[in-house]
Amino acid sequence: MVREYVEAGVERLHGAGLRLFTKSELKEIHSATMDVLMDPGVLVTDPAGRELFEKNGCEVDHKTEMVRIPEYVVRKALQTAPSRFTLAGRIKENDVLQEAGGKVYWTTFGTGVQVLKFENGKPVVKDSTEADIAETAIITDWCENVAYFSLTVSARDWSGKGAQDVHETFASIKNTSKHFQHIDPVGTNVDTYWELAKAFYGGDEEMARRRPLISLLLCPTSPLQLHTNAVQVIINGAKYGMPVNVLSMAMAGATSPVHLAGTLVTHNAEVLAGIVLSQLAKPGAPVWYGSSTTMLDLRRGTAPVGAPELGLISAAVAQLAQYYGLGLLPSLSCG
């Protein structure tokens, strides 16, 4: 990527912005979130995750699987979470610097399960395959305006055969020189992703940690739940220095309060719980404040990602991410 150099003291806007809250109002949202993290807390179904929370000062009920996270634990995690980190490409020209309040980048998004192709001049919809992943990765590599490759479609030809996610990872990093973010990682297979990334560096573990080729995305289950796979992705990603995107997909009127203010607090609590876990696993682990939170379309029972409410929420969480000094990865920045 081409770096921009400016004179000392020069301030730039990296894209348009929409500010919805004052600093005092952000503090109020933070305070409400701290109340939620203590009562009722977060459901954590993974025993290893609960033990990690418990060892670091959280109140844990192993029978109900509820974890109460005190504010001092949250603040300590926010102090160790980095405000900037690099997503490495296979070539340095494709490196992407992620930083709080920094430049806005574009990525692909998914994960789709079908592709539209033309056969004999006619459009045909088919289940996506590993070959389709390779093709979209190659196209992304060509697109100068796309900073890195997020998994676009799934390898459904491997569905039910085991290690589908591993084939998706291999097809992706093999066919793009840009950074790869796995949107559907499997926590127990993060070790294998690590071995694939390390193999690119000839087995050099230090280089693989210093220049992570792969990052991971996981979603808390709304409302206020971290289930086993999400916990394992967070812990294992932190262990290997793979950037982890904790991305809430709360839905106002369905899995979170119908009022956007309540949804914002729910969203904030879910993301912060994941960020705290990453820092308990390994202080300094690179992590995003993620968002794909929107509202429920009551007529169709769907989650419209083009709704005005999503725009408002994304603008709100952008301010929260900057308030906490974290990088943001919202669904609105996906091309």
Side-chain angles (χ1 to χ4, degrees), residues 7-56:
E7 296 178 5
V10 174
E11 186 178 359
R12 295 283 179 90
L13 283 176
H14 296 287
L18 175 63
R19 293 194 173 274
L20 301 178
F21 305 112
T22 64
K23 288 184 178 180
S24 297
E25 290 168 334
L26 289 170
K27 186 177 180 180
E28 290 176 2
I29 295 170
H30 170 79
S31 296
T33 304
M34 295 304 101
D35 290 341
V36 169
L37 287 175
M38 276 299 291
D39 185 15
V42 179
L43 179 74
V44 181
T45 62
D46 185 75
R50 290 198 303 273
E51 290 175 8
L52 198 51
F53 277 116
E54 190 171 37
K55 288 179 181 178
N56 288 274

Side-chain angles (χ1 to χ4, degrees), residues 35-202:
D35 290 341
V36 169
L37 287 175
M38 276 299 291
D39 185 15
V42 179
L43 179 74
V44 181
T45 62
D46 185 75
R50 290 198 303 273
E51 290 175 8
L52 198 51
F53 277 116
E54 190 171 37
K55 288 179 181 178
N56 288 274
C58 299
E59 299 177 19
V60 176
D61 187 327
H62 290 283
K63 289 184 179 180
T64 63
E65 300 182 333
M66 293 300 296
V67 175
R68 298 171 182 263
I69 308 174
E71 184 171 0
Y72 79 88
V73 176
V74 178
R75 288 189 177 278
K76 184 177 180 181
L78 291 171
Q79 288 175 350
T80 60
S83 60
R84 65 204 304 264
F85 53 87
T86 297
L87 305 179
R90 281 168 40 193
I91 57 175
K92 288 189 176 182
E93 288 78 2
N94 286 334
D95 285 2
V96 178
L97 176 64
Q98 298 280 266
E99 58 183 335
K103 185 177 179 180
V104 175
Y105 294 98
W106 294 84
T107 182
T108 53
F109 202 64
T111 303
V113 295
Q114 292 181 318
V115 292
L116 175 65
K117 293 189 171 184
F118 283 85
E119 296 182 358
N120 299 320
K122 296 182 179 180
V124 179
V125 176
K126 291 185 172 182
D127 287 349
S128 55
T129 66
E130 184 177 0
D132 293 319
I133 295 173
E135 289 179 2
T136 55
I138 291 170
I139 292 171
T140 299
D141 209 59
W142 172 81
C143 293
E144 293 183 0
N145 63 317
V146 180
Y148 60 95
F149 179 63
S150 298
L151 187 65
T152 49
V153 293
S154 59
R156 299 192 69 186
D157 48 337
W158 283 98
S159 179
K161 299 177 183 178
Q164 175 180 335
D165 58 303
V166 175
H167 284 273
E168 291 167 347
T169 302
F170 180 69
S172 298
I173 63 175
K174 179 182 177 182
N175 288 284
T176 182
S177 60
K178 297 179 179 179
H179 182 84
F180 168 60
Q181 180 168 108
H182 204 313
I183 296 179
D184 291 318
V186 176
T188 53
N189 287 339
V190 173
D191 291 346
T192 306
Y193 309 161
W194 166 249
E195 292 299 326
L196 288 172
K198 194 168 65 171
F200 174 76
Y201 294 109

